[in-house]
Structure formats: C-alpha cells, structure tokens
Amino acid sequence: MIDAAGWAVVLLRLVYLGVTNAFAVLRLLPMSNGGKDVEILALRHQITVLERQLGKQKVCFDAGDRAFLAALLHRLPRDVLRRVRLLVRPDTVLRWHRDLVARRHAAVSRPKRPGRPRTEHSVRTLVLRLARENPSWGYRRLHGELLVLGVKVAASTVWEIFHDAGIDPAPERTGTT
C-alpha cells in the first residue's frame, strides 16, 4: 500500500513524464513521416535488445510509468495494441488502466468522515427535550415514544444521547435531593 508521500512521488513522476513526452511530441511535429518511421524502427530495435539482455527477467515499471502507459495506450483498440511493440503484454496495460480507474473511483467514493454518520441534530434535540419534560421515562420508554412519533432511532442511540448529555438513568432523575 502506498502512503500519502508515496502518492506525491508518483504524481510528481507522472507530471514529469507528461511534460517530457509533451516536448517529445513537439519535437516530432517538424519531422517527416520517413524520419518518424526510422525513429520507430530504432525504438523497436532497442526494445528487442533490452528483452534479449534481460532474458527471463521482467522489466520493473514503477507506479508513475504504469499510470502513464495505461493512460497513453488505453484508447487503442485491442488488435492495434497487440501489434504495438511493448515490454509488457497488452492485457497488462489494460489491467493497469482498470486499476487506475478503480483506484480513482475508490478515492472519489470514499466517505469524507470515517465511521457511522452522526445522529441528526433535530433528533438529539427532541430526545433531550422529551427527557427533560418527562423525568420518569428511561431511555427504553423514550425510544418507544419516538417510534410512535415516527422517529426511527435505535434504543442504544437514545442511551448514547443521554450519556453524552450527562443525563442520569430515569429512577435517579425523578427523586428529590
């Protein structure tokens, strides 16, 4: 699992790759088609030499490289992607892209606050008002009255509201001191 500092490094690496490749595209604009074909052949040959030197070892891409390749190549149809000379299988690139999208979706859909949602303020106010006006009612009786009123809240939630407000159990509230 990558922590926040790790993601910052990955993001910085991704920005770096994007900027360097943007300059590479600008460099390709004035080139003729023949010059581009020669460069493509040279790059393919370098990939072949690299694969031959690695033998059975696999090339290790870091997270930024995977994200950049996935973003760059995901729009290509699968048959075109199979013809492109890559260090990894086309299915690997597509898996990287799925992981990227899943990670982004998970980050966006993550709740802003962890844990159970807080009880609404109006419900808390109603519980405290009923407890103040009916000192002989315990949390279970108050829970039943809330259900009659149409307020769906658990008995344990009513107890927690009592506890947080410092309200004692019903028999101790009714007696005189």
Side-chain angles (χ1 to χ4, degrees):
M1 198 71 184
I2 300 176
D3 60 346
W7 280 113
V9 170
V10 168
L11 201 60
L12 186 63
R13 173 89 173 139
L14 194 57
V15 168
Y16 170 76
L17 287 170
V19 170
T20 56
N21 284 310
F23 283 122
V25 168
L26 290 175
R27 186 181 58 82
L28 290 175
L29 287 177
M31 286 179 82
S32 67
N33 284 342
K36 291 177 188 175
D37 290 342
V38 168
E39 184 170 351
I40 289 171
L41 286 173
L43 290 172
R44 284 184 179 177
H45 180 71
Q46 289 177 35
I47 290 172
T48 305
V49 169
L50 181 61
E51 286 176 336
R52 187 172 55 233
Q53 287 178 357
L54 287 175
K56 295 288 182 186
Q57 292 179 359
K58 295 190 177 205
V59 178
C60 194
F61 290 96
D62 65 359
D65 294 328
R66 285 193 298 268
F68 183 76
L69 276 174
L72 188 66
L73 299 173
H74 87 279
R75 294 227 184 252
L76 292 177
R78 202 173 277 231
D79 58 327
V80 173
L81 196 56
R82 291 191 196 290
R83 287 193 309 252
V84 174
R85 183 86 170 131
L86 296 171
L87 291 174
V88 294
R89 293 190 332 231
D91 293 335
T92 303
V93 174
L94 295 175
R95 183 182 40 118
W96 289 346
H97 186 261
R98 282 192 307 270
D99 292 346
L100 241 172
V101 171
R103 196 174 299 121
R104 181 175 180 268
H105 176 71
V108 169
S109 63
R110 184 176 302 125
K112 304 297 181 247
R113 297 173 55 151
R116 188 180 178 121
R118 293 181 59 90
T119 307
E120 290 185 29
H121 183 69
S122 60
V123 173
R124 295 178 69 82
T125 305
L126 179 63
V127 167
L128 294 174
R129 179 179 169 199
L130 287 173
R132 189 175 52 253
E133 292 175 359
N134 305 290
S136 63
W137 290 1
Y139 75 94
R140 288 200 183 272
R141 168 77 189 270
L142 209 137
H143 170 251
E145 294 298 325
L146 288 171
L147 290 177
V148 170
L149 292 174
V151 178
K152 294 192 184 225
V153 65
S156 61
T157 304
V158 175
W159 182 87
E160 283 183 15
I161 293 171
F162 274 28
H163 184 73
D164 291 344
I167 298 175
D168 292 328
E172 296 173 17
R173 281 187 283 144
T174 56
T176 57
T177 58

